[in-house]
């Protein structure tokens, strides 16, 4: 800045300057200053995008193509020129479909500049440069007229502005503006309409993601604060692959209800609205959760439909079209409602311009039909801002809790002075209930500290655990009452962790606290192991697979852009994915590839591990799954990945509470599974950065 102010001629050098961004290192806890170019953010967005998934969604592409052909034919049958407006064109695929279907001209709008540039290359490569105009703007900024972006209003509106919740990407405001300013009255629209469905269910598993449940420890009970039970919860939708939640894990209390429709060929309003569906309760139960999805009709007659319904609604689940860019929604009611079989109930969906939320009212209850007074859920208890939904599920998992209770029982003594290091953890309360003399809990934020203190108060344990808000290196002997810590424990869980090994932050905390530990102090977990298995994914591989040709169009420039973005990140990295949602087969036996001993401080020098894993099952190897296992004691281990050994066929069961790491190979490869093929690995843990540099290489025997 000084150079520009003092010597304006040097301003031209600014374009070559780097940006230094301060980022909290999730593993070491340090604030790292990272040198990045101005292109870093959009390269990251491209590399992690779902464009490949969308381009591989054959069902979606075919339905759009059929709908566009039909719309162009209807316009042509009226003797009109077919002028198309494609909002959110992405790769330009739908615009090219329109021209191939006989449209005269297409205006393709894309606000994300790198994507607009890619679309321009794709359009040119396919020979549509004179028929498709790429407009790098938000659609609400597009102008019409002789000097505008569009010469005339369009009579066919093509869009793909939808997310899992349908309206979460701002579809309604975009449609509203388009009908007012960009398209003709009575235009054709592809898709023509959308229908949102909902089903009310009771599900202990899903409900455990929304509330802290009571926890019994011997003769004591750890209770959630009253305000948590009364809180409406987090406002954001819970979007998951609902196909992986089998019907055995929920009880339907209502039929599948149509809650609202949107006709995209007519003017659309983004103003708040409500829609209600009445039904008779199918059985007696506790109404807790709403399952929801939508479908889109590509034509007015509804003969071309693309549905987001989960696989278990299909007569033949093998015909289910997998996709990850659109999934299904889980909504949690503000509170449980007890329903009796045959009772008449209203399920109401409220929406604003970006989100949906549900409420339930029995016919016997007083109140009018207008539900707009039901405000969007907001967390008032702070717990939903401290704990994610998977974290609620983890805290409510009785089997996991029992493992920690057994481990704590084996290490605690009547004179134990304990320090718990994790974010929003209940282990310190458990340690007190199990007889520790003094327990301290180290929390990283004021909000987390307040939530834990409220849990202690609700369980009549105020003062039994002293909750400290401090960084580990700032803790002193006086902070812990002049005591030496005899038991240091953690889950470990930290809200900043994205990849499994980010929880090695516990090791850095243990190192920073070394001066407070008794010479014979117990550290729990005593160690952690990074584990791996070579895997074949049923569907997840699609998100990283090259597209090349898509419905007859060459979209390879998109593949090139994604690859450049991956190369820009300097090295291949593992990605976090909740593998319980993405079925896979283990082609190798799971194995520990690196172990970290928490009884010792973090070493000064890098740790290196090399080896190979033989492929013992036949299949197509797409990459490697990675997870951490925490050895609480000599005989108690908690896994954040596989919850047991793979089946004989290699089927895996994954922990739903944490994301696992996935390292995709640049190209999948086939193995006979005779143990001759293998995946070799080289791992290097760098203590100063907390990074694990990893390289996995397929090695074929022939």
């Amino acid at each position: 800045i000084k150079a520009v102010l003092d010597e304006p001629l040097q301003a031209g050098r600014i374009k070559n300057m780097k940006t230094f961004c301060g980022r909290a290192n999730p593993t070491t806890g340090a604030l790292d200053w990272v040198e990045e170019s101005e292109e870093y953010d959009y390269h990251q967005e491209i590399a992690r995008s779902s464009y490949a998934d969308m381009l591989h969604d054959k069902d979606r592409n075919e339905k759009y193509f059929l709908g566009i052909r039909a719309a162009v034919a209807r316009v042509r049958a009226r003797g009109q020129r077919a002028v198309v407006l494609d909002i959110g064109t992405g790769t330009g695929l739908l615009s090219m479909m329109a021209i191939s279907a006989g449209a005269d001209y297409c205006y393709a709008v894309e606000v994300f500049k790198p994507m607009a540039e890619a679309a321009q290359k794709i359009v040119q490569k396919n020979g549509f440069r004179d028929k498709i105009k790429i407009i790098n703007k938000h659609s609400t900024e597009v102008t019409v007229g002789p000097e505008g972006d569009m010469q005339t209003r369009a009579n066919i509106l093509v869009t793909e502005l939808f997310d899992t919740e349908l309206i979460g990407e701002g579809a309604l405001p975009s449609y509203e503006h388009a009908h007012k300013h960009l398209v003709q009255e009575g235009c054709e629209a592809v898709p023509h309409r959308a229908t949102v469905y909902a089903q009310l269910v009771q599900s202990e598993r899903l409900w455990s993601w929304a509330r802290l449940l009571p926890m019994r420890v011997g003769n004591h009970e750890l209770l959630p604060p009253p305000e948590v039970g009364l809180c409406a919860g987090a406002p954001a939708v819970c979007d998951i692959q609902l196909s992986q939640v089998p019907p055995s894990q929920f009880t339907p209390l209502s039929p599948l209800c149509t809650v609202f429709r949107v006709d995209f060929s007519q003017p659309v309003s983004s103003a708040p609205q409500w829609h209600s569906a009445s039904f008779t309760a199918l059985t007696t139960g506790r109404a807790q959760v709403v399952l929801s999805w939508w479908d889109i009709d590509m034509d007015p007659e509804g003969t071309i439909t693309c549905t987001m319904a989960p696989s278990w609604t299909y007569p033949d689940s093998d015909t289910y079209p997998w996709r990850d860019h659109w999934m299904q929604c889980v909504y949690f009611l503000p509170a449980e409602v007890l329903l009796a079989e045959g009772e008449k109930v209203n399920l109401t969906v409220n929406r604003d311009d970006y989100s949906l939320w549900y409420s339930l009212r029995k016919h016997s209850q007083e109140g009018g039909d207008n539900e707009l007074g039901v405000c969007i859920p907001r967390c008032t208890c702070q717990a939903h801002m401290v704990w994610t939904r998977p974290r609620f599920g983890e805290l409510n998992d009785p089997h996991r809790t029992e493992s920690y209770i057994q481990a704590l029982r084996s290490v605690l003594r009547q004179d134990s002075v304990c320090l718990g290091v994790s974010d929003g953890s209940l282990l310190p309360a458990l340690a007190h209930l199990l007889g520790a003399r003094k327990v301290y809990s180290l929390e990283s934020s004021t909000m987390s500290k307040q939530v834990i203190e409220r849990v202690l108060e609700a369980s009549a344990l105020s003062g039994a655990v002293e909750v400290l808000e401090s960084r580990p290196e700032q803790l002193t002997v006086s902070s812990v009452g002049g005591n030496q810590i005899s038991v240091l424990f953690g889950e470990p869980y930290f809200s900043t962790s994205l990849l499994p090994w980010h929880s090695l932050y516990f090791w850095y905390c243990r190192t920073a606290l070394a001066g407070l530990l008794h010479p014979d102090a117990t550290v729990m977990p005593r160690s952690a192991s990074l584990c791996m298995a070579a895997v074949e994914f049923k569907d997840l591989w699609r998100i990283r697979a090259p597209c090349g040709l898509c419905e007859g169009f060459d979209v390879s420039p998109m593949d090139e852009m994604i690859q450049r973005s991956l190369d820009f990140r300097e090295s291949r990295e593992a990605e976090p994915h909740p593998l319980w949602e993405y079925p896979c087969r283990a082609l190798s036996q799971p194995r520990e590839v690196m172990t970290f001993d928490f009884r010792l401080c973090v070493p000064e020098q890098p740790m290196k591990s090399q080896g190979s894993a033989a492929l013992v099952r036949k299949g197509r190897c797409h990459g490697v799954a990675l997870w951490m296992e925490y050895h609480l004691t000599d005989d108690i281990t908690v896994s954040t990945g596989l919850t047991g050994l793979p089946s004989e066929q290699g089927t895996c069961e994954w922990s739903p509470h944490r994301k696992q790491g996935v390292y995709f190979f640049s190209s999948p490869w086939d193995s006979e599974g005779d143990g001759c093929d293998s995946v070799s690995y080289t791992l290097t843990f760098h203590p100063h950065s907390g990074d694990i540099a990893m390289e996995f290489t397929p090695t074929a025997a022939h």
Side-chain angles (χ1 to χ4, degrees):
I1 294 173
K2 186 177 187 298
V4 175
L5 293 175
D6 293 350
E7 300 182 54
L9 292 179
Q10 293 191 26
R13 300 181 187 177
I14 294 296
K15 66 181 180 181
N16 297 319
M17 292 178 67
K18 297 286 185 179
T19 301
F20 288 88
C21 299
R23 296 191 175 185
N25 187 308
T27 308
T28 67
L31 180 64
D32 295 340
W33 288 96
V34 183
E35 183 179 301
E36 294 173 353
S37 80
E38 62 182 7
E39 298 178 324
Y40 178 83
D41 286 339
Y42 79 70
H43 275 294
Q44 286 287 75
E45 185 167 339
I46 292 169
R48 294 172 178 169
S49 70
S50 295
Y51 288 110
D53 172 39
M54 289 187 284
L55 294 172
H56 280 290
D57 189 344
K58 189 172 180 62
D59 177 72
R60 162 195 177 270
N61 298 338
E62 288 179 346
K63 301 292 175 56
Y64 261 102
F65 212 163
L66 289 171
I68 290 170
R69 283 175 180 159
V72 171
R74 290 193 296 273
V75 170
R76 288 291 197 183
R78 296 196 291 266
Q80 300 174 354
R81 292 180 74 247
V83 180
V84 178
L85 171 62
D86 176 9
I87 299 179
T89 193
T91 60
L93 177 64
L94 302 185
S95 295
M96 294 188 295
M97 288 180 178
I99 299 301
S100 296
D104 295 280
Y105 199 78
C106 183
Y107 297 101
V109 180
E110 175 56 54
V111 68
F112 185 38
K113 184 177 180 181
M115 273 309 309
E117 293 171 350
Q120 187 69 57
K121 293 177 182 178
I122 292 170
V123 164
Q124 291 179 2
K125 190 162 189 173
N126 286 274
F128 296 113
R129 180 175 59 182
D130 297 332
K131 293 274 190 157
I132 299 174
K133 179 182 180 180
I134 305 296
I135 302 172
N136 180 208
K137 287 185 176 180
H138 193 282
S139 65
T140 57
E141 299 173 346
V142 172
T143 57
V144 179
E147 303 299 323
D149 302 303
M150 300 171 60
Q151 294 296 300
T152 182
R153 289 188 177 220
N155 53 12
I156 300 177
L157 176 58
V158 176
T159 65
E160 206 279 57
L161 299 172
F162 315 115
D163 68 348
T164 293
E165 202 173 17
L166 183 69
I167 64 174
E169 290 186 1
L172 296 180
S174 296
Y175 272 111
E176 186 175 42
H177 177 271
H179 276 287
K180 288 180 179 178
H181 303 287
L182 305 178
V183 298
Q184 299 175 16
E185 184 178 353
C187 72
E188 300 288 343
V190 182
H192 181 80
R193 75 175 66 85
T195 305
V196 176
Y197 303 94
Q199 186 170 39
L200 185 68
V201 304
Q202 173 181 322
S203 173
E204 301 306 321
R205 176 185 177 183
L206 297 178
W207 190 243
S208 73
W209 297 353
R211 296 288 184 274
L212 182 64
L213 304 177
M215 183 184 303
R216 180 155 291 281
V217 185
N219 296 323
H220 303 278
E221 195 169 35
L222 200 60
L223 299 173
E227 56 266 33
V228 175
L230 298 174
C231 180
V237 64
C238 178
D239 51 342
I240 61 170
Q241 291 284 356
L242 197 54
S243 297
Q244 300 309 311
V245 179
S248 60
Q249 295 189 355
F250 60 86
T251 301
L253 301 180
S254 78
L256 185 63
C257 302
T258 299
V259 288
F260 75 92
R261 287 190 172 95
V262 182
D263 186 340
F264 297 124
S265 69
Q266 301 297 321
V268 172
S269 173
S270 62
Q273 294 182 3
W274 65 273
H275 307 269
S276 188
S278 297
F279 64 89
T280 300
L282 299 177
T283 187
T284 297
R286 287 174 288 122
Q288 300 167 324
V289 175
V290 175
L291 310 181
S292 179
W293 57 87
W294 50 265
D295 61 30
I296 43 178
D297 292 325
M298 299 298 184
D299 62 330
E301 298 76 23
T303 59
I304 308 168
T305 300
C306 185
T307 180
M308 304 307 117
S311 62
W312 35 260
T313 65
Y314 283 67
D316 180 3
S317 61
D318 290 338
T319 63
Y320 168 69
W322 183 88
R323 47 177 68 93
D324 202 47
H325 53 104
W326 295 328
M327 294 184 281
Q328 295 81 37
C329 300
V330 174
Y331 298 91
F332 303 97
L333 293 180
E336 291 182 316
V337 179
L338 183 62
L339 296 183
E341 182 177 351
E343 194 168 12
K344 296 193 178 299
V345 184
N346 272 5
L347 178 65
T348 299
V349 59
N350 292 260
R351 71 153 180 83
D352 54 20
D353 48 349
Y354 282 92
S355 55
L356 308 173
W357 62 99
Y358 286 83
S359 59
L360 192 67
R361 192 184 76 248
K362 300 180 182 182
H363 281 200
S364 59
Q365 291 176 323
E366 296 182 359
D369 292 331
N370 191 332
E371 297 289 340
L372 280 177
V374 179
C375 298
I376 187 170
R378 300 290 183 193
C379 176
T380 56
C381 70
Q382 295 187 314
H384 298 92
M385 292 183 273
V386 169
W387 295 322
T388 63
R389 290 178 177 121
R391 178 61 172 162
F392 270 105
E394 187 171 51
L395 293 172
N396 289 324
D397 184 337
H399 301 293
R400 175 182 175 277
T401 299
E402 185 58 29
S403 294
Y404 280 100
I405 289 175
Q406 293 301 325
L408 284 170
R409 278 198 175 116
S410 70
V411 302
L412 292 178
R413 303 291 181 265
Q414 289 185 346
D415 61 347
S416 292
V417 177
C418 305
L419 175 61
V421 180
S422 283
D423 285 350
S425 177
L426 302 180
L427 290 194
L430 298 183
H432 169 76
L433 294 176
L434 292 170
R437 176 170 68 87
K438 184 63 181 176
V439 182
Y440 299 92
S441 177
L442 190 61
E443 291 291 344
S444 61
S445 72
T446 300
M447 189 177 297
S448 184
K449 176 177 182 287
Q450 291 172 345
V451 169
I452 294 301
E453 287 176 336
R454 288 171 185 165
V455 172
L456 295 170
E457 182 181 358
S459 304
L461 297 176
S462 294
V465 176
E466 188 170 342
V467 187
L468 308 171
E469 183 190 348
S470 172
R471 291 183 59 83
E473 62 271 18
Q474 296 172 337
L475 218 60
T476 64
V477 174
S478 61
S479 304
V480 290
N483 295 299
Q484 284 189 307
I485 303 301
S486 56
V487 179
L488 175 69
F489 58 74
E491 301 187 35
Y493 170 85
F494 301 100
S495 59
T496 53
S497 299
L498 296 175
L499 289 160
W501 44 93
H502 286 167
S503 288
L504 288 175
Y505 178 53
F506 177 78
W507 202 11
Y508 289 83
C509 294
R510 177 260 182 270
T511 302
L513 295 165
L516 300 183
L517 300 184
H518 188 278
D520 297 324
T522 298
V523 178
M524 189 197 89
R526 60 177 179 80
S527 63
S529 295
L530 177 63
C531 302
M532 66 155 279
V535 294
E536 174 188 58
F537 285 108
K538 181 180 179 182
D539 296 299
L540 188 62
W541 60 270
R542 301 173 195 271
I543 69 171
R544 293 292 171 261
C547 300
L549 289 176
C550 180
E551 305 304 322
F553 302 103
D554 186 350
V555 294
S556 57
M558 187 65 210
D559 292 332
E560 295 165 6
M561 185 171 72
I562 290 176
Q563 188 56 52
R564 284 198 304 274
S565 294
L566 291 170
D567 293 342
F568 182 85
R569 294 157 67 186
E570 297 182 355
S571 64
R572 293 190 58 80
E573 300 174 356
E575 307 170 10
H577 291 284
L579 292 185
W580 75 269
E581 296 185 55
Y582 305 106
C584 64
R585 294 174 56 238
L587 301 184
S588 71
Q589 292 297 98
R591 63 176 300 162
E592 297 181 357
V593 293
M594 184 172 276
T595 298
F596 312 90
D597 191 344
F598 296 158
R599 294 168 295 186
L600 305 175
C601 292
V602 176
E604 290 291 328
Q605 299 303 317
M607 295 167 50
K608 193 167 186 177
S609 175
Q610 292 179 305
S612 63
L615 302 191
V616 296
R617 297 182 184 91
K618 184 177 181 179
R620 167 155 285 199
C621 189
H622 294 109
V624 172
L626 298 146
W627 68 96
M628 297 291 283
E629 292 187 352
Y630 295 102
H631 309 294
L632 306 184
T633 63
D634 290 340
D635 55 356
I636 301 176
T637 294
V638 172
S639 174
T640 65
L642 283 177
T643 57
L645 291 175
S647 70
E648 186 175 342
Q649 294 75 33
T651 304
C652 299
E653 296 290 337
W654 298 96
S655 168
H657 308 315
R658 306 277 184 106
K659 290 182 178 180
Q660 292 73 41
V662 178
Y663 183 102
F664 287 102
F665 295 140
S666 55
S667 299
W669 56 291
D670 296 317
S671 173
E672 291 302 315
D674 54 9
C676 296
D677 298 332
S678 63
V679 174
S680 61
Y681 59 87
T682 300
L683 304 171
T684 306
F685 171 67
H686 297 282
H688 294 290
S689 66
D691 294 332
I692 300 179
M694 53 184 62
E695 182 178 349
F696 294 93
T697 307
T699 305
H702 306 291

